[in-house]
Amino acid sequence: MEREALTALWKAFQEILAWQDPDPRDILAFVYAHAAPNTVTLASSFGLEDVLLLHWAAAITPCPDVFCLDTGLLFPETYALIETLKARYRFRLRRIAPSLTLAQQRATFGPELWRRDPDACCRLRKVEPLGRALEGYAVWITGIRREQTPARRHAQWVEADAATGRIKVNPLAHWTGARVRQAVEALGVPYNPLHDQGYPSLGCWPCTRPVRPGEDPRAGRWPGFAKTECGIHQ
Ligand code: SF4
């Protein structure tokens, strides 16, 4: 998208920031009404937030564009959920693979890079693919929420994302995890069964464990490392 058009879109989106406790569906509807459909993409790792956004987006716009950073290391339950959602909703799914296969990564960086240097592994398998996922798109929609991590504490409904040069839209920024869960259940949206087995937050299987009662919901991500983000949300 031309810079002028992107600037015009950014200005139009400023209206959202003036809303009080907006319904995430209104944010989605505004975005899809103001941006050309082929310039908007929905990021999904198929967590609770993502399936809820997909449910709403599919009702607002025909065949929304969705991308998944498919590291090749997602849980089998996540891959199964993708098939369930494809059967239930009409959406265009782009599975973005890393440049290196797992075998190539092993040959270049040694076995189980995620155990030694998860930042490097995330750069290879998530951050670099994100750049390719967003090529040709002006707006990406995400399921991040302020309460999830310190880095997300100031997430806005609409942001100028310096890292990607895109407009980033976070319709659930102000929602709690409980509110998301309640909506998913009330709407009957299919979700990952691992959420009922102690995994409030899901990523790659080597870097995700169930959380114990009383632990932070993100405590199961990258256990043993002072790492709470993969690097695609900055
Ligand atoms: S979450 Fe773990 S396995 Fe997945 S890309 Fe990051 S470090 Fe690698």
Side-chain angles (χ1 to χ4, degrees):
M1 179 180 268
E2 300 291 332
R3 178 140 296 279
E4 277 183 15
L6 189 63
T7 303
L9 200 55
W10 170 249
K11 283 185 181 161
F13 281 12
Q14 295 310 291
E15 182 180 328
I16 296 172
L17 294 176
W19 294 352
Q20 299 294 317
D21 190 24
D23 187 321
R25 285 168 292 191
D26 292 338
I27 298 176
L28 287 174
F30 188 97
V31 168
Y32 284 114
H34 285 78
N38 61 354
T39 64
V40 181
T41 187
L42 173 58
S44 184
S45 55
F46 299 98
L48 283 174
E49 293 80 6
D50 304 322
V51 295
L52 183 57
L53 289 174
L54 172 62
H55 177 91
W56 286 332
I60 289 169
T61 192
C63 204
D65 186 281
V66 177
F67 76 89
C68 163
L69 300 176
D70 188 351
T71 61
L73 293 161
L74 305 181
F75 283 90
E77 289 86 348
T78 305
Y79 289 115
L81 175 62
I82 291 173
E83 297 309 312
T84 300
L85 292 167
K86 280 165 64 181
R88 167 91 177 255
Y89 300 102
R90 192 161 168 267
F91 63 105
R92 175 177 179 249
L93 177 62
R94 294 179 295 126
R95 294 164 82 137
I96 312 296
S99 298
L100 297 182
T101 64
L102 285 167
Q104 289 169 329
Q105 180 169 306
R106 192 181 314 116
T108 308
F109 297 99
E112 300 185 333
L113 179 60
W114 48 86
R115 283 185 186 271
R116 292 172 283 113
D117 190 347
D119 284 341
C121 186
C122 279
R123 267 196 304 277
L124 289 165
R125 309 203 77 72
K126 291 191 174 184
V127 179
E128 185 277 332
L130 173 68
R132 282 185 281 115
L134 295 179
E135 277 172 19
Y137 293 86
V139 180
W140 63 307
I141 301 169
T142 90
I144 65 170
R145 295 182 294 102
R146 290 174 191 147
E147 70 169 16
Q148 285 173 321
T149 71
R152 301 179 188 187
R153 190 166 298 146
H154 302 293
Q156 300 294 321
W157 300 308
V158 179
E159 299 175 344
D161 186 14
T164 64
R166 270 47 174 208
I167 299 172
K168 187 173 173 183
V169 177
N170 311 307
L172 295 168
H174 55 312
W175 272 34
T176 63
R179 200 171 176 188
V180 170
R181 172 91 194 199
Q182 198 176 32
V184 166
E185 289 180 354
L187 293 166
V189 181
Y191 64 91
N192 198 316
L194 291 175
H195 290 307
D196 295 333
Q197 297 168 35
Y199 294 84
S201 175
L202 285 166
C204 298
W205 63 261
C207 301
T208 312
R209 66 154 173 81
V211 302
R212 292 179 277 273
E215 277 189 320
D216 184 278
R218 296 277 293 189
R221 304 292 299 275
W222 301 284
F225 291 93
K227 175 175 170 68
T228 57
E229 296 282 357
C230 64
I232 67 170
H233 299 297
Q234 296 173 8

